[in-house]
Amino acid sequence: MPDVFADLVGQDEAVDTLRRAAAAAAAVLRAAAAPTTAVGDELDALAEEAGGAEAATVDPGAGMTHAWIFTGPPGSGRSVAARAFAAALQCAYGTGCGECPGCHTTMAGTHADVRMVVPDGLSIGVNEMRALVLRAASTPSGGRWQVVVISDADRLTEAAGNALLKAIEEPPPRTVFLLCAPSTHPDDVSVTIRSRCRLVPLRQPAPDAVAEVLVRRDGVPPDVARWAAAAAQGHVGRARRLANDPEARKRREAVLAVPRRLTGVGAAFDAASALIEAAEAEAEASVAETAAAERAALETALGAGGTGRGAAGAIRGAAGQLKDLERRQKSRATRAQRDALDRALVDLAGFYRDALTMALRAPVAPVHTDTAALAGAGAQKWDAEGALRRLEAVLECRAAIEANVKPRIAVEAMMLSLWKG
Ligand SMILES: [Zn+2]
């Protein structure tokens, strides 16, 4: 059975850091359990070590600390790394063996002392964060660590960030926060939070490493795995989806057909509409089911379907709760749409990148092997400069949407640029 770090693709350095930290954390627990050792002293030593202490005998790379931040491009495995580390902290052997109950329940998402916060909307609010911080301060029921994993820590609202900062500044002795964010840029994570965390940078895994894991773990045929890994541009989850999901492949093909279709102004607007609508449809499919189930569950909890006067009163009093749910669902749907659109834009950027590298005769493998001939034709027609302008148009569109420009407006502007060059 592979250990908990086996799914972390092409991240040897980070895995090494995390293994040593997990061992250090296990040593802290052992020392605390030994009757001759004062627990407080051990934990003080731990905190000092984490702060880059002077103690010359301590390997600075091995230190365990209360707050970590995992950074890297989307798909590099930030939350996979955080979850694996959480498992190693709960592992009976302190290694992340993958077999003991601590490892097993953490990886399955059922460990009582591990909380995964996955924001499903555009931001993580202060109330959610306060509740989380409060629970994280309790004594771990398994006797090891309370671990809180916050994926997309870049979506913390300012107030939520402040609530988290307070907890990180004075951490309860057995609490560990694992944050995941694209980068440590102040737009993603506040400088003060960053300064309290130990950093684990992840890199974009090489296509070969991604293909290897698809073959080994998912049983994907090698040639499909190689194609999917290249097309996904280092995004492990995306590569897996392309290898296994025919719908995802169909959507990608539709996106890559865009450059061929841009024959005039009308066609450019049509292409924009098609892209937006495809993203909406994809997002709707992914959120509709949960949304309906959530609403039904809440209505049942509030007594809808009951006929008594009490039930009617409960419904009136609960209008706020329903409204709150609707607000969260709307935010989640918006996020899903943006994510779907962003995936399409990344595919499109890959196409123009291929055209650019071909125009420059750069000795690099194309991202999209199946549209390489088309990209080659584009390279001849546009030259390097024209290919670069088009690539930039796609990247500008991504940036504009991230900066809250209305997607349709950003995509229409992009399509016109792609057509005109
Ligand atoms: Zn284990």
Side-chain angles (χ1 to χ4, degrees), residues 16-21 23-25 45-46 48-65 68 198:
D16 190 46
T17 303
L18 296 174
R19 278 189 205 284
R20 286 193 287 167
L46 159 81
E48 238 174 66
E49 191 182 319
E54 299 74 51
T57 51
V58 175
D59 173 2
M64 173 53 194
T65 181
W68 297 73
R198 191 162 161 201

Side-chain angles (χ1 to χ4, degrees), residues 3-4 87-88 90-104:
D3 77 4
V4 294
Q90 305 295 9
C91 174
Y93 306 101
T95 58
C97 68
E99 287 173 5
C100 73
C103 284
H104 210 78

